[in-house]
Amino acid sequence: VDTVILSQENKTDQVYLMINTPGGSVTAYADAAQQIVRLKKAGFKVTCFIDEVAASGGYMMAAVCDTIIAQPFAFVGSIGVVAQMPIVEDFLSKNGIQFKVFTAGTKKRTVVPTKKPTAEEEAHFNTKLEDIHKAFKNHVLKYRSKIDSEKLMDGDYYMAQDVVDALMVDSLGDSRSAIIEAFNNGYNLIEVKTTTKKKSGGLA
């Protein structure tokens, strides 16, 4: 989407970005945030609208924007990191199933579903999560330096109306009203979407 917008000649245009996601892969959302940075570096002003939720990776994107406008009951924040994995070693053993993982390197695949991790392996895994969390907090602070990282970056989420004064959100509002206002003020509105077409599994 950012490539399409960057191809426009008039860099004085504004970009309205609607974010609605509880997050996901840290690498995917970090990449999405960098696409917003590209727009800003090209001279576009980017306003983010959160009508429902922009948590975790969603807030990673929102934090980069020039302005964040959210519905009062929209959820924001969740500046934390989570990893979860079922451990099925006992189930496999009970059913007479052996599963072996062969690796080269002492830190390769230390936590896997097929065996219980040792205390050392768990500690190493948690250290990696802490490293990612620290990087996440630094990312947000780079663009929103006045947010209290001790109070608001512990992984919890908040209603937007409760964190306006804390500067996690700039103001309360909604995307539809902003679009209607822009239209009434004579702006030409261009909607940019991306779609993924699924291939047919049989006869079309």
Side-chain angles (χ1 to χ4, degrees):
V1 172
D2 66 303
T3 303
V4 174
I5 297 173
L6 287 171
S7 67
Q8 304 302 307
E9 293 183 1
N10 187 2
K11 298 300 190 297
T12 61
D13 290 340
Q14 293 191 39
V15 175
Y16 283 3
L17 180 65
M18 286 65 171
I19 297 179
N20 180 28
T21 175
S25 165
V26 64
T27 52
Y29 281 95
D31 178 61
Q34 285 306 305
Q35 308 317 308
I36 300 172
V37 172
R38 288 180 64 199
L39 292 174
K40 293 174 61 177
K41 286 183 176 179
F44 288 101
K45 180 181 178 182
V46 182
T47 299
C48 161
F49 291 93
I50 306 170
D51 291 330
E52 296 182 38
V53 57
S56 195
Y59 193 78
M60 181 181 284
M61 293 175 61
V64 175
C65 299
D66 296 299
T67 305
I68 300 177
I69 300 175
Q71 292 266 33
F73 288 92
F75 289 120
V76 299
S78 189
I79 302 172
V81 183
V82 62
Q84 53 191 359
M85 183 180 298
I87 304 298
V88 297
E89 181 181 3
D90 290 341
F91 173 81
L92 295 176
S93 178
K94 182 179 179 180
N95 288 276
I97 302 172
Q98 290 187 346
F99 194 99
K100 293 184 178 181
V101 178
F102 300 93
T103 64
T106 58
K107 296 297 190 296
K108 185 69 175 179
R109 298 295 296 275
T110 54
V111 178
V112 294
T114 51
K115 74 176 185 67
K116 298 173 184 176
T118 65
E120 182 182 1
E121 289 170 339
E122 283 192 0
H124 174 70
F125 193 80
N126 284 325
T127 297
K128 292 299 182 183
L129 295 185
E130 290 294 338
D131 290 343
I132 297 171
H133 188 205
K134 181 179 179 180
F136 190 176
K137 292 191 289 185
N138 288 338
H139 165 87
V140 174
L141 290 172
K142 179 179 179 180
Y143 300 97
R144 298 199 155 246
S145 59
K146 294 183 179 180
I147 294 179
D148 190 328
S149 61
E150 294 298 321
K151 292 183 178 180
L152 299 174
M153 298 190 186
D154 60 358
D156 204 354
Y157 61 90
Y158 312 92
M159 287 190 298
Q161 62 184 356
D162 295 331
V163 289
V164 175
D165 293 339
L167 303 179
M168 288 190 75
V169 171
D170 294 304
S171 62
L172 301 179
D174 67 281
S175 62
R176 297 169 188 82
S177 297
I179 291 172
I180 292 172
E181 181 181 358
F183 179 78
N184 289 337
N185 287 335
Y187 282 92
N188 293 319
L189 305 180
I190 301 175
E191 183 178 18
V192 181
K193 287 185 176 182
T194 59
T195 59
T196 302
K197 295 182 178 180
K198 294 182 178 180
K199 294 182 178 179
S200 175
L203 294 176

